[in-house]
Amino acid sequence: MAKIFMSMSGEGRGHATRVRSLVERMRDRHEITLFAPGDAYRFLEPQYGNDPDVRLIEIPGLKFHYVDGNIHLTKTIYQGFYYQNSHLPKLVQQLVDEIEKHQPDVILTDFEPALPRAAKKCGKPFLSMTHQHFLVAYDLSILPMHLRFFAWFIGLAVPMHYTAQKETIISSFFNADLKPRWKKKGAVCVGPMIRPEVRQDKFPVVSHETGSSDSGHPPFLLSYLRKQAKTDVVDILKESPIPVKVYGLGEREPLGAITFHEIHPQHFVDDLLACHGVVSASGNQLLGECMYLGKPVLGIPETWHHEQLINAHFLKAMGCGDFVTIEKFQLKHLQNFLEHIEEYRTKILETCLGNDGTDDTIAIIERNIPVEIRRKVEVAG
């Protein structure tokens, strides 16, 4: 078995979900150690906290700073510098010790800065698998000028996380051309990483006449909201003409059209498979899973979450959904989305259904395993 170290950003669940999609497809033939901060650790701990075959280690990490339900860009940047000066040096040394003790054969990071620094200190190559590298590697000329500026601005943080990776894997739900210098570097674009609970041999079919899925569920919308979300989003969703299942705000009493649900990985996936459409923030991972399953999306990204705002623009440009910033979200946007939902669904079925980059990513990881160990794995497999 090859030894593989993986680390990931802890902000949100998308990074951890991508990593988990890899772990579940590779754990039968490799020894895997995960280094996870924040939300990522909380997401992975129920699966791997007591797993004898996968090591899960909690580490400190970067996170966004919120004020009154909105990302505060200045404080987030300040917290980033504080982390870099106070936590990062100790963490890098901790990970150096882990590398020297266990001698991993492959080191991979999903936008986490400490493990690559530790790998470089130990003279070992590392791989990068992120969505965020699209900010620097993709041709974003289809975006409006202000978003191109913010892509450039927040893209400055990408090389601050790490540079000199041996391979750059970019996982996105949308397609765009690579810039020439990234083509020369051998960057690879793959589809979204689809976790095992979502992967399907048969996709749910939704009736255009009734809006219900072949699972027998009556039509409903699925919504995932951050706890920091503005409360008037709930006031709007409660007026929905069809029921809405809301995750992320905890369990509460029903309100109008809304029922509230505790985050539960399997229950959320069950509802994602059965829902009529999704109203949610615009993280790459969730959008990728929605495209994979044929679920139209009304994105409600935060104005100052520029990465999600860019994702939402691509969603609309693809014709697979629509978006409005969460601060401007009104009932008319929800009604318009429902009026056009079958047009979006048809476009997804034509272009995105079943798109999964997991196999392509695993192939890249495994070709970086030392030859002598790779041969043993192939013989064992």
Side-chain angles (χ1 to χ4, degrees), residues 124-135:
K124 287 185 172 288
F126 69 94
L127 314 180
S128 169
M129 181 209 60
T130 71
H131 173 57
Q132 283 73 17
H133 270 79
F134 87 89
L135 292 164

Side-chain angles (χ1 to χ4, degrees), residues 14-162:
H15 304 272
T17 301
R18 275 197 293 272
V19 167
R20 184 163 183 269
S21 71
L22 297 175
V23 171
E24 290 304 308
R25 299 284 297 284
M26 300 172 68
R27 60 179 296 162
D28 61 332
R29 60 189 183 277
H30 300 303
E31 183 181 315
I32 299 174
T33 299
L34 306 177
F35 300 96
D39 291 339
Y41 179 82
R42 288 186 285 275
F43 175 76
L44 295 173
E45 198 276 334
Q47 284 89 26
Y48 304 126
N50 296 307
D51 192 319
D53 299 321
V54 178
R55 294 174 68 223
L56 174 64
I57 298 173
E58 186 174 15
I59 60 174
L62 292 160
K63 61 182 181 179
F64 293 134
H65 192 91
Y66 284 82
V67 174
D68 297 329
N70 297 307
I71 289 178
H72 195 292
L73 192 58
T74 304
K75 290 189 176 182
T76 296
I77 293 171
Y78 172 79
Q79 290 291 335
F81 282 116
Y82 177 78
Y83 168 82
Q84 189 167 4
N85 293 319
S86 61
H87 294 294
L88 193 57
K90 293 178 182 178
L91 177 56
V92 169
Q93 186 55 52
Q94 175 190 337
L95 295 179
V96 165
D97 294 341
E98 287 282 339
I99 291 171
E100 290 178 343
K101 179 179 179 181
H102 295 280
Q103 292 297 311
D105 301 300
V106 177
I107 297 173
L108 177 143
T109 184
D110 187 333
F111 212 54
E112 189 282 317
L115 187 60
R117 286 166 169 77
K120 290 174 73 173
K121 279 197 167 190
C122 295
K124 287 185 172 288
F126 69 94
L127 314 180
S128 169
M129 181 209 60
T130 71
H131 173 57
Q132 283 73 17
H133 270 79
F134 87 89
L135 292 164
V136 294
Y138 279 10
D139 178 354
L140 301 177
S141 57
I142 74 163
L143 296 175
M145 184 62 72
H146 75 284
L147 277 184
R148 275 183 271 166
F149 167 77
F150 279 113
W152 167 81
F153 180 71
I154 59 179
L156 296 175
V158 173
M160 292 175 66
H161 276 67
Y162 49 80

Side-chain angles (χ1 to χ4, degrees), residues 132-341:
Q132 283 73 17
H133 270 79
F134 87 89
L135 292 164
V136 294
Y138 279 10
D139 178 354
L140 301 177
S141 57
I142 74 163
L143 296 175
M145 184 62 72
H146 75 284
L147 277 184
R148 275 183 271 166
F149 167 77
F150 279 113
W152 167 81
F153 180 71
I154 59 179
L156 296 175
V158 173
M160 292 175 66
H161 276 67
Y162 49 80
T163 57
Q165 58 268 24
K166 184 180 178 183
E167 303 254 18
T168 302
I169 307 163
I170 306 170
S171 172
S172 296
F173 76 94
F174 57 85
N175 294 317
D177 291 332
L178 284 168
K179 294 177 180 177
R181 70 185 187 93
W182 284 92
K183 286 183 181 178
K184 290 180 181 177
K185 288 182 177 183
V188 178
C189 305
V190 300
M193 305 282 111
I194 304 301
R195 52 185 154 160
E197 298 90 345
V198 175
R199 287 174 63 89
Q200 298 287 303
D201 295 323
K202 175 179 179 294
F203 295 93
V205 176
V206 176
S207 166
H208 293 353
E209 288 76 23
T210 67
S212 62
S213 73
D214 60 5
S215 62
H217 292 275
F220 68 92
L221 295 174
L222 179 64
S223 183
Y224 176 77
L225 302 174
R226 288 174 172 270
K227 288 184 178 179
Q228 301 91 342
K230 296 172 72 68
T231 55
D232 51 359
V233 174
V234 172
D235 294 333
I236 295 165
L237 290 178
K238 74 179 183 182
E239 303 299 328
S240 170
I242 64 174
V244 184
K245 293 188 177 183
V246 170
Y247 283 82
L249 301 182
E251 208 165 356
R252 308 181 186 179
E253 289 296 315
L255 182 65
I258 303 176
T259 54
F260 296 91
H261 305 265
E262 288 285 355
I263 292 176
H264 182 286
Q266 190 56 53
H267 294 169
F268 180 83
V269 169
D270 290 343
D271 284 334
L272 182 59
L273 292 171
C275 72
H276 189 46
V278 175
V279 180
S280 179
S282 301
N284 174 70
Q285 184 61 33
L286 181 56
L287 291 180
E289 291 180 347
C290 290
M291 299 300 100
Y292 175 86
L293 292 170
K295 304 296 180 179
V297 179
L298 175 60
I300 46 173
E302 300 165 48
T303 298
W304 290 99
H305 199 314
H306 297 106
E307 180 191 324
Q308 290 203 2
L309 197 55
I310 291 169
N311 291 340
H313 271 269
F314 273 101
L315 172 73
K316 184 171 183 176
M318 292 163 62
C320 298
D322 202 353
F323 81 94
V324 60
T325 59
I326 195 168
E327 295 84 359
K328 294 182 178 179
F329 181 44
Q330 297 178 31
L331 183 59
K332 66 180 181 181
H333 299 113
L334 179 62
Q335 292 168 333
N336 184 68
F337 171 68
L338 290 172
E339 287 173 10
H340 294 89
I341 195 167

